Amino acid sequence: GFSVSIYDVTSRSISLKWPKFSGASSYRVTATAVNTVGHSLLAHFSDVTLKATLTSLIPSTVYAIQAEAIDKNGIILAETQIMQSTAPDIPVIDQAYSKLSNSITVEWRAVPGATSYMLTAEDGDSFIETVVKNSPGTVTGLKPATLYRITIRSINSGGKSQTSPFRKAKTVLAAPILSVSSLSCDSIALSWQAVYMAAGFSVSLMRSDGLGKMLRENTTNTSLIFTNLDPGTLYTIKAYAWNANGMPGDDFTYNQRTSPNTPVDVKVAFNSGALRVSWTPTEGALTYGVTASSGLLKLKCNTSSSFCTVPSLQCSSEYYVSVTAYNDAGSSKPTDAVSLKTIPCAPVNISIEEDEPGRLLVSWSSVSFGHYYVVFVKSDNGLEVHCNTSYTQCHFQSDCGFTYFISVFAYNKAGQSPLGDVFNYTTAPCCPSDFRAVFVSSDTVRVTWAPVRGADLYETRAAAWSTVMLCNDTAPACTLSALQCNTRYHITVRSFSEAGGSNTSCAPKHVATAPCSPEIKNISKEGLSVISVQWQSHNEDATYVVTARGEAGLWHCTSTGSSCTLTDLPCGSAFSVTAVARSPAGQSLPSYSVPLETDPCCPNDLILTQVTQSVTNISWSAGKGAQTYVTTLESPKGQAKCRTLQNHCLLECITCGTNYTVSLKAISETGLTSSCTYQGYSSSACCPSGVKLYRLSNNGIRVFWRASDETMNYSTDLRGSKSNFTCTPSTSGSHCDITEIPCGDVYTVVVAPLTDKGTKITFCPKKIYSVTCSGSSVGMVIYRGKSNAESI
């Protein structure tokens, strides 16, 4: 494709270029003003010309530029069109001047169509460009006192105009940079470096609060001093340089305060080891410094108020105190020194001794600046006494067992010395008195006494023959154990203190230990519930108490000899048997315990029940202490026996109708046995044998049996599906008749003897018979065998 590009634009020209187009022998360019009627420009170029400049255009005008590539026959091969505006017209500088040493301000008339302007300042060595929106405009970053050529170009979207005719302008002088200080409370000194091209300097000074008059000085020097100023006052200083033509340069403004005046009405006071200094505030002072000097020692204190406290003054010293005021300008002259003597130091080399019993002597070394001394002596019970003296010693009364706290102070007009070392002196503790010795066991005695003042430790000493026992404790009690029993001891209590030593003049007390423990040698059974206990002991005048202790309770016996008897001990019980010895001195430790077990108890209730003709069930209540039981039924015909851990058993091979003796043995876990005898037992009568049924006339049945005992009465039961029958024969009979029995039924027949009380024995055998009918009468009686369900 064919295209055109713009590479430069001015107020009246547009420069463009295009690429070579194949086949073109010439190029035609037409520029037509878009908003101006009748203004166009046509130019032809050969095929070797690829760029051109259109001139004589109107400033700030938009042109439609059309370029055509034409062959040798005049035919247009390609064409393109672009829009381009010309730059604004060239502005004209009205004036250029400098108000600051680093800038020049330029004024011009506005150019139609210009959106901004480019200012250029050149001094031959360099140039600075600045783009501004409108007039006036300022070029900054310039050098002071330097001549510049100033030009301007207008700018729009199309480009920049040509450079305007230049104007010359020179920057003003630089401001002098002041170095300011206040040499005294009424003067301010200024100095500055020389300023390039300066012929002289002007400096003015005035109070910043506007009060008073302005002071002004002109000079060709580079330093100046203003005097007779107000102390501690803030001043505003302004300075500038002028050139040979008298034109002023930049000015420099600085605020400076004069240093404060010396404080007045200084007052000093000593309070609690510190120095308090106060004064009347001075004008313009921001802070104050207090200096307290004593020889080479200097203590300082700084504050913004009108008083200050200097801590940590040395005692027994004389200080010279001065005050200086400060602000940002400097310091005032210090005030005249004020002298102050501090409190005396605490006395040293204090010694305490009992120069005689009950009297303490306290002495110390003298103290500089000390006018008199006071000694305080406070005992540990809170009482305090003191001694006031101008000498270096004092006497005090003292008591045993007390600790005394002693402090010594020195005094002068400034006050009391600081607290020095507090000494304590402890007198020897008093002797413990009225101590008591109480035995807590046969070989252990507890000794107690009232506490003694000042005692840190107590020693309890028990001596008997060549044996000595010691007990040390801080408490007013001590327990001496492992003492020999049945022995007389001498017991002494001594008091000790770390500071006061010991008191060894305490009188002893005599105590006797409890008797020795007996040793049980034998326990034997003397009879039912009677136990004899024997022991061995070597005590004198002792009574012995034997105790049997168990779940059943306590049993005792007492003797002054070597044995005693325990009675009425319950059966089936376990006991622990111990013995102690008693005397006026106390009770011995119990002997080693010996176990004791009484025979098991016989069961209270025993019941025998006959289960069958040859088996009897025997049961009984539990016997305390018994684990195993052996029951025996015995008769001339034989013996039945069983052994069991339970409380019942079955005895077999019992002979019916026989009298038995009943016995039971209760055996404990350890094998102790109690033989128990009970009321005799008679077994039940024997069941009859040969039970048979016979048919009688008139629908009757006879039951026949062989009696085991002709004196026994019997009862007969017939039970059928239709009817039940019971009959009892006459005394000592062996048969029984039942009339009018229904035929055609099966009957269960039981014949049993009657007891004395008329009850039937229930375990006799049952037999089954069928009674047939013959017509309406009883027919045959047929034996069917025994019933499977035996009565038990």
Side-chain angles (χ1 to χ4, degrees):
F2 183 60
S3 62
V4 173
S5 61
I6 306 298
Y7 69 87
D8 189 33
V9 176
T10 66
S11 302
R12 297 183 178 276
S13 66
I14 297 175
S15 298
L16 62 160
K17 58 183 178 178
W18 56 88
K20 185 175 180 63
F21 193 83
S22 177
S25 62
S26 64
Y27 299 94
R28 182 170 58 203
V29 178
T30 304
T32 303
V34 174
N35 296 322
T36 303
V37 179
H39 189 276
S40 62
L41 180 66
L42 176 64
H44 289 270
F45 303 96
S46 65
D47 61 339
V48 297
T49 303
L50 298 179
K51 61 181 179 178
T53 298
L54 302 178
T55 60
S56 302
L57 302 180
I58 302 172
S60 295
T61 301
V62 177
Y63 284 88
I65 301 173
Q66 182 173 335
E68 300 168 321
I70 305 172
D71 65 7
K72 62 183 179 179
N73 296 322
I75 298 173
I76 299 174
L77 301 177
E79 64 180 353
T80 183
Q81 182 176 320
I82 60 174
M83 305 297 289
Q84 177 62 46
S85 173
T86 56
D89 207 352
I90 301 170
V92 176
I93 297 174
D94 291 335
Q95 62 176 334
Y97 51 87
S98 174
K99 289 186 176 181
L100 297 175
S101 61
N102 65 343
S103 67
I104 292 177
T105 300
V106 183
E107 296 181 3
W108 65 91
R109 291 186 296 276
V111 175
T115 58
S116 60
Y117 301 89
M118 177 181 286
L119 301 178
T120 303
E122 297 180 76
D123 66 348
D125 295 330
S126 61
F127 69 91
I128 295 177
E129 293 181 339
T130 301
V131 177
V132 299
K133 288 290 185 182
N134 46 40
S135 177
T138 300
V139 183
T140 60
L142 306 182
K143 294 179 285 187
T146 303
L147 184 64
Y148 286 91
R149 286 164 53 103
I150 307 300
T151 58
I152 186 172
R153 298 172 70 182
S154 58
I155 303 172
N156 66 5
S157 60
K160 302 184 186 72
S161 71
Q162 291 91 336
T163 302
S164 70
F166 69 85
R167 281 286 186 97
K168 291 184 177 181
K170 190 174 185 179
T171 53
V172 298
L173 301 181
I177 305 302
L178 300 180
S179 176
V180 185
S181 63
S182 176
L183 301 179
S184 63
C185 63
D186 63 347
S187 66
I188 292 177
L190 305 91
S191 62
W192 57 89
Q193 297 292 328
V195 176
Y196 176 65
M197 298 296 292
F201 302 92
S202 178
V203 182
S204 62
L205 178 144
M206 187 174 183
R207 285 176 62 122
S208 297
D209 57 9
L211 300 177
K213 63 179 181 178
M214 178 186 292
L215 302 178
R216 183 184 298 275
E217 293 286 343
N218 293 326
T219 181
T220 58
N221 297 324
T222 56
S223 62
L224 189 64
I225 296 177
F226 288 95
T227 58
N228 298 321
L229 304 180
D230 297 328
T233 302
L234 184 65
Y235 284 89
T236 300
I237 304 167
K238 184 178 290 187
Y240 63 86
W242 69 81
N243 61 14
N245 297 326
M247 180 176 292
D250 288 349
D251 57 37
F252 180 90
T253 302
Y254 190 87
N255 289 325
Q256 175 65 43
R257 188 182 300 274
T258 53
S259 57
N261 210 345
T262 302
V264 296
D265 196 20
V266 177
K267 296 178 181 178
V268 295
F270 188 79
N271 184 21
S272 300
L275 173 65
R276 178 181 171 87
V277 185
S278 62
W279 55 89
T280 300
T282 185
E283 178 69 28
L286 301 179
T287 60
Y288 299 90
V290 177
T291 301
S293 302
S294 177
L296 298 177
L297 178 65
K298 290 184 181 295
L299 300 178
K300 293 182 179 296
C301 169
N302 296 317
T303 182
S304 58
S305 61
S306 60
F307 65 90
C308 193
T309 300
V310 181
S312 305
L313 294 184
Q314 290 186 348
C315 56
S316 294
S317 300
E318 184 173 11
Y319 285 88
Y320 295 93
V321 182
S322 61
V323 182
T324 304
Y326 296 88
N327 62 13
D328 51 5
S331 62
S332 70
K333 292 181 180 180
T335 61
D336 294 335
V338 178
S339 174
L340 174 73
K341 291 181 180 179
T342 62
I343 59 174
C345 294
V348 294
N349 298 326
I350 298 174
S351 66
I352 305 164
E353 60 180 327
E354 279 187 274
D355 55 354
E356 60 183 66
R359 186 169 118 154
L360 292 180
L361 172 63
V362 182
S363 59
W364 58 91
S365 299
S366 61
V367 178
S368 298
F369 298 111
H371 297 166
Y372 64 95
Y373 305 91
V374 177
V375 182
F376 294 91
V377 177
K378 186 174 184 179
S379 62
D380 52 9
N381 65 355
L383 296 178
E384 184 178 66
V385 294
H386 69 276
C387 164
N388 191 327
T389 180
S390 58
Y391 299 103
T392 57
Q393 64 178 19
C394 270
H395 283 91
F396 295 92
Q397 294 296 321
S398 63
D399 293 316
C400 66
F402 278 86
T403 296
Y404 295 94
F405 300 93
I406 301 167
S407 55
V408 183
F409 294 90
Y411 290 82
N412 63 12
K413 290 183 179 180
Q416 175 186 290
S417 68
L419 176 64
D421 292 333
V422 177
F423 294 86
N424 60 63
Y425 184 87
T426 303
T427 56
C430 297
C431 178
S433 60
D434 297 330
F435 68 86
R436 298 177 57 204
V438 178
F439 280 92
V440 295
S441 67
S442 62
D443 65 347
T444 302
V445 64
R446 180 168 178 80
V447 183
T448 58
W449 56 90
V452 176
R453 293 198 62 87
D456 300 324
L457 181 70
Y458 299 95
E459 178 190 81
T460 305
R461 176 187 179 96
W465 305 104
S466 60
T467 302
V468 176
M469 300 189 70
L470 296 176
C471 170
N472 294 322
D473 204 331
T474 57
C478 196
T479 301
L480 297 168
S481 59
L483 299 177
Q484 292 181 1
C485 56
N486 200 33
T487 303
R488 182 178 177 84
Y489 281 90
H490 302 277
I491 297 179
T492 306
V493 180
R494 297 177 180 178
S495 59
F496 292 81
S497 74
E498 202 173 305
S502 66
N503 194 327
T504 59
S505 61
C506 300
K509 284 191 176 182
H510 306 284
V511 296
T513 55
C516 298
S517 298
E519 180 183 0
I520 296 176
K521 290 296 185 179
N522 185 46
I523 296 179
S524 60
K525 184 177 180 182
E526 296 291 326
L528 183 64
S529 300
V530 177
I531 301 295
S532 175
V533 182
Q534 295 178 335
W535 60 86
Q536 180 180 357
S537 182
H538 301 289
N539 295 313
E540 296 179 359
D541 299 330
T543 300
Y544 299 90
V545 178
V546 176
T547 301
R549 183 186 305 272
E551 292 184 357
L554 298 175
W555 275 259
H556 304 282
C557 66
T558 303
S559 173
T560 57
S562 60
S563 66
C564 70
T565 301
L566 294 168
T567 60
D568 299 325
L569 294 178
C571 60
S573 299
F575 295 93
S576 175
V577 180
T578 58
V580 296
R582 292 176 179 171
S583 73
Q587 178 175 296
S588 72
L589 291 172
S591 66
Y592 293 114
S593 64
V594 177
L596 170 65
E597 181 182 358
T598 57
D599 294 342
C601 297
C602 289
N604 293 327
D605 301 319
L606 186 139
I607 301 173
L608 291 94
T609 305
Q610 191 150 354
V611 179
T612 67
Q613 189 165 282
S614 62
V615 178
T616 296
N617 180 62
I618 182 168
S619 62
W620 54 89
S621 59
K624 184 179 180 182
Q627 183 188 56
T628 307
Y629 300 92
V630 178
T631 58
T632 305
L633 294 181
E634 192 169 4
S635 72
K637 296 180 181 180
Q639 184 187 69
K641 181 184 291 187
C642 77
R643 185 183 184 96
T644 181
L645 295 174
Q646 300 174 334
N647 59 350
H648 61 84
C649 69
L650 291 174
L651 294 174
E652 299 182 358
C653 300
I654 300 299
T655 303
C656 56
T658 304
N659 293 325
Y660 287 90
T661 60
V662 182
S663 63
L664 181 145
K665 288 185 178 181
I667 305 171
S668 70
E669 184 177 2
T670 60
L672 296 179
T673 302
S674 293
S675 296
C676 311
T677 302
Y678 296 90
Q679 185 178 358
Y681 167 69
S682 297
S683 60
S684 300
C686 297
C687 294
S689 61
V691 177
K692 295 181 180 179
L693 263 66
Y694 296 96
R695 178 172 60 84
L696 300 176
S697 59
N698 299 323
N699 292 330
I701 291 293
R702 171 168 286 180
V703 182
F704 177 82
W705 62 86
R706 286 193 298 272
S708 59
D709 186 352
E710 294 180 356
T711 63
M712 185 65 63
N713 294 325
Y714 297 90
S715 175
T716 302
D717 290 325
L718 277 76
R719 297 185 181 275
S721 62
K722 299 176 181 178
S723 298
N724 299 326
F725 299 93
T726 300
C727 71
T728 302
S730 60
T731 304
S732 303
S734 61
H735 69 272
C736 181
D737 295 336
I738 298 173
T739 62
E740 299 298 329
I741 187 170
C743 63
D745 200 356
V746 177
Y747 290 91
T748 301
V749 181
V750 178
V751 180
L754 297 175
T755 64
D756 295 339
K757 296 181 180 180
T759 59
K760 291 183 289 186
I761 294 175
T762 60
F763 48 75
C764 289
K766 298 177 181 179
K767 292 187 176 183
I768 301 174
Y769 286 88
S770 296
V771 179
T772 63
C773 291
S774 175
S776 60
S777 300
V778 173
M780 296 180 64
V781 177
I782 303 171
Y783 176 63
R784 296 289 187 180
K786 292 183 178 181
S787 173
N788 291 330
E790 296 287 341
S791 288
I792 297 178

